[in-house]
């Protein structure tokens, strides 16, 4: 694998080891053998491990914890699980109260915020944690100012989830995703809506997630954020992005404004592809299994349009999420041992499969890839196919990047309802994101 330009110092042999307190009701699931707190009775060390996700992920994580405890009888782990939105409220509250979990799942939008507040341990100093086997394309994604605060659980790519049955019903051929352009995407979307007499809409709105624009900006030699945390794209490029959305709205290639708001509010399970109401939607590669299960169909992953249209590609590997260790943990060595287990033991990957992204450890990934079930195997094949087209990685998002989700959704709604033009949407987005992140 190629090491991303500008982010390529070797990790071989490296071993190491807005916090606003908003109360929220959360569901906490305790591992059967564990109790709360980071102090133990006798020689037993007790740790807390916190993550977000579905009931299925919860069950898997508890099984992983049970297996780890069986191999390490001197360590007991309390597992804490909740949904995405409640998770961040709880983590902020606990961190502000100096009661953060020993090990926590983190997302790249928030990593810098917690690290800059001194809440995270530098994993370079975590004895017993081996990071040398991580995929070079995301190995340093948890690095900030020369220190490592997050270890990637796995890798994802942003892609189009497409339903071949919807294409067939509309009499439209599946695109060649190695060569299709943005004009092709707009035209195909309209053809599907028209060809199916409205039974299927061509595509779900792509503007609700800033990641789609990040791919588009990278295709134009720009990026969502620059290395210093400022905005890394031009107003002209963002206007062009919103113009594509406007064209899809005008030609019927995507749902109406009111329908789009409702669909977006329902999450992945209520997407047009998941509910058999549309041909294409934009999601992360590791969400393929859920979309396929919800739809009851053989959903396919397509590369983003425009990857051969410009001077460079825009696709990238994203760390699915990170494992972090609290700077205030009373048992950093044991916490590091658990993170090492999560990253480097194939037995863990045999349980988690691709739910946390394809395993970040390349050898672990290779060890399980042949045993992956249908959708996960398809995801692995897709990721392998695009690997050589990826030019580089992305800088870590600045503090405040978590607010961009809400900003993006609100501006997309205003554009869809005709309250603002694409140019006005671009101007408003840039002003609000600069205010949220302190970028200039």
């Amino acid at each position: 694998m190629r090491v991303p330009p500008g982010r390529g110092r070797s990790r071989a042999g490296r071993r190491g080891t807005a916090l606003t307190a908003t109360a929220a009701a959360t569901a906490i699931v305790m591992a059967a053998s564990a109790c709360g707190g980071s102090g133990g009775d006798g020689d037993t060390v007790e740790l807390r491990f916190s993550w977000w996700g579905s009931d299925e992920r919860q069950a898997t994580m508890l099984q992983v914890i049970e297996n780890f405890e069986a191999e390490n009888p001197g360590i007991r782990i309390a597992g804490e699980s909740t949904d995405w939105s409640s998770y961040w409220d709880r983590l902020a509250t606990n961190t502000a109260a100096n009661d953060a979990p020993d090990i926590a799942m983190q997302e790249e939008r928030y990593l810098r915020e917690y690290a800059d507040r001194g809440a995270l341990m530098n994993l370079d100093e975590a004895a017993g944690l081996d990071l040398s086997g991580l995929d070079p394309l995301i190995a340093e994604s948890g690095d900030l100012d020369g220190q490592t605060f997050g270890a990637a659980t796995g890798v994802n790519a942003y892609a189009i989830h497409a339903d071949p049955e919807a294409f067939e019903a509309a009499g439209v051929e599946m695109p060649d995703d190695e060569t299709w352009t943005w004009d092709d995407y707009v035209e195909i979307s309209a053809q599907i809506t028209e060809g199916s007499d409205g039974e299927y809409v061509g595509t779900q709105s792509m503007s609700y997630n800033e990641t789609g624009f990040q791919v588009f900006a990278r295709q134009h030699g720009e990026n969502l954020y620059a290395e210093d945390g400022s905005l890394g794209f031009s107003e002209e490029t963002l206007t062009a992005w919103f113009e594509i959305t406007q064209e899809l709205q005008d030609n019927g290639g995507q749902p109406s404004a009111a329908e789009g708001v409702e669909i977006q509010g329902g999450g992945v399970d209520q997407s047009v592809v998941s509910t058999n109401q549309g041909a294409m939607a934009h999601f992360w590669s590791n969400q393929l299994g859920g979309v396929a299960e919800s739809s009851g169909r053989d959903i396919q992953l397509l590369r983003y349009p425009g990857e051969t249209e410009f001077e460079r590609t825009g696709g990238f590997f994203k760390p699915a999420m990170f494992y972090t260790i609290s700077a205030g943990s009373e048992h950093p060595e044991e916490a590091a041992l658990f993170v090492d287990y999560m990253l480097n033991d194939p037995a863990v990957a045999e349980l988690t499969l691709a739910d946390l992204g394809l395993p970040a450890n390349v050898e672990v990934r290779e060890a399980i890839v042949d045993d992956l079930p249908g959708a996960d195997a398809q995801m692995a094949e897709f990721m392998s196919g695009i690997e050589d087209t990826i030019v580089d990685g992305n800088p870590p998002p600045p503090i405040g990047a978590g607010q961009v989700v809400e900003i993006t959704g609100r501006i997309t709604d205003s554009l869809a309802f005709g309250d603002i033009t694409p140019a006005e949407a671009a101007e408003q987005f840039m002003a609000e994101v600069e205010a949220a992140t302190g970028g200039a």
Side-chain angles (χ1 to χ4, degrees):
M1 291 189 180
R2 293 168 292 123
V3 178
R7 300 179 64 81
R9 59 181 174 84
S10 174
R11 297 192 80 126
R14 279 187 64 184
R15 298 179 67 90
T17 45
L19 302 187
T20 304
T22 304
T26 61
I28 305 176
V29 181
M30 308 302 289
S33 63
C35 59
S38 286
D41 296 329
D43 296 329
T44 300
V45 169
E46 294 179 0
L47 303 173
R48 289 161 52 211
F49 171 38
S50 186
W51 68 89
W52 71 81
S54 65
D55 291 344
E56 182 178 0
R57 178 178 295 170
Q58 171 190 311
T60 300
M61 289 297 199
L62 293 179
Q63 182 62 60
V64 169
I65 289 172
E66 183 178 334
N67 293 351
F68 175 82
E69 290 178 335
E71 296 182 20
N72 299 273
I75 304 174
R76 297 165 67 185
I77 298 177
E80 305 175 353
S81 173
T82 187
D83 62 273
W84 165 266
S85 59
S86 298
Y87 181 83
W88 299 107
D89 288 333
R90 176 175 176 78
L91 186 61
T93 301
N94 286 353
T95 302
N98 294 318
D99 188 35
D102 299 271
I103 307 110
M105 192 178 280
Q106 263 287 354
E107 210 275 339
E108 66 173 1
R109 294 186 185 99
Y110 302 96
L111 185 69
R112 185 182 292 274
E113 180 173 355
Y114 280 81
D116 282 5
R117 296 291 181 89
L120 303 180
M121 180 182 181
N122 177 10
L123 299 184
D124 296 323
E125 300 173 354
L129 175 56
D130 185 0
L131 303 178
S132 64
L134 300 188
D135 189 329
L137 285 170
I138 49 87
E140 296 180 12
S141 56
D143 286 11
L144 298 169
D145 302 322
Q147 299 182 73
T148 302
F149 293 102
T153 66
V155 294
N156 278 340
Y158 208 59
I160 291 180
H161 295 227
D163 180 359
E165 290 189 35
F167 276 84
E168 183 177 359
V172 178
E173 292 187 4
M174 290 281 286
D176 177 356
D177 70 338
E178 294 189 16
T179 60
W180 67 332
T181 66
W182 283 103
D183 286 342
D184 292 334
Y185 171 71
V186 171
E187 182 179 356
I188 288 171
S189 298
Q191 289 175 346
I192 290 169
T193 303
E194 181 179 356
S196 67
D197 293 327
E199 179 183 356
Y200 295 100
V201 69
T203 187
Q204 189 165 321
S205 175
M206 64 185 186
S207 296
Y208 280 103
N209 191 322
E210 75 272 22
T211 305
F213 171 67
Q214 188 170 24
V215 175
F216 187 76
R218 285 166 56 87
Q219 290 175 346
H220 289 76
E222 302 173 10
N223 209 326
L224 182 59
Y225 302 112
E227 289 283 352
D228 64 359
S230 64
L231 301 186
F233 58 89
S234 66
E235 188 171 340
E236 179 184 10
T237 299
L238 182 57
T239 298
W241 170 255
F242 282 129
E243 285 175 344
I244 296 173
T245 296
Q246 184 67 65
E247 189 172 357
L248 287 164
Q249 191 84 57
D250 293 342
N251 70 13
Q254 71 180 39
S256 68
E259 291 171 331
V261 171
E262 183 178 357
I263 291 167
Q264 182 65 23
V268 177
D269 291 344
Q270 295 303 311
S271 71
V272 296
V273 175
S274 295
T275 57
N276 306 140
Q277 298 179 59
M280 293 182 285
H282 302 237
F283 296 115
W284 291 105
S285 54
N286 73 322
Q287 294 175 298
L288 176 63
V291 173
E293 183 176 358
S294 296
S295 69
R297 296 183 177 181
D298 180 20
I299 306 303
Q300 296 186 18
L301 294 176
L302 301 178
R303 306 177 195 214
Y304 244 53
E307 287 291 77
T308 55
E309 188 175 358
F310 305 100
E311 291 186 5
R312 56 155 289 166
T313 61
F316 58 90
F317 277 179
K318 174 189 178 296
M321 56 274 289
F322 295 104
Y323 295 123
T324 60
I325 297 176
S326 171
S329 174
E330 296 179 6
H331 304 285
E333 291 188 11
E334 289 81 1
L337 181 64
F338 180 70
V339 173
D340 186 83
Y341 175 75
M342 297 296 291
L343 290 173
N344 301 323
D345 196 315
V348 174
E350 289 172 2
L351 290 171
T352 60
L353 299 174
D355 180 54
L356 306 178
L358 285 180
N361 182 304
V362 176
E363 290 187 2
V364 171
R365 186 189 308 169
E366 292 174 351
I368 70 161
V369 69
D370 291 337
D371 297 324
L372 291 172
D376 287 348
Q378 185 183 339
M379 171 198 171
E381 182 178 359
F382 175 80
M383 298 283 281
S384 177
I386 67 172
E387 180 180 352
D388 288 340
T389 71
I390 294 174
V391 178
D392 54 20
N394 295 310
I399 294 175
Q403 299 178 48
V404 178
V405 177
E406 186 275 332
I407 294 170
T408 303
R410 179 163 37 76
I411 291 176
T412 295
D413 286 345
S414 296
L415 177 65
F417 281 103
D419 298 331
I420 55 176
T421 66
E424 291 169 337
E427 182 179 3
Q428 182 178 339
F429 180 91
M430 295 181 73
E432 292 196 26
V433 173
E434 284 178 347
T437 63

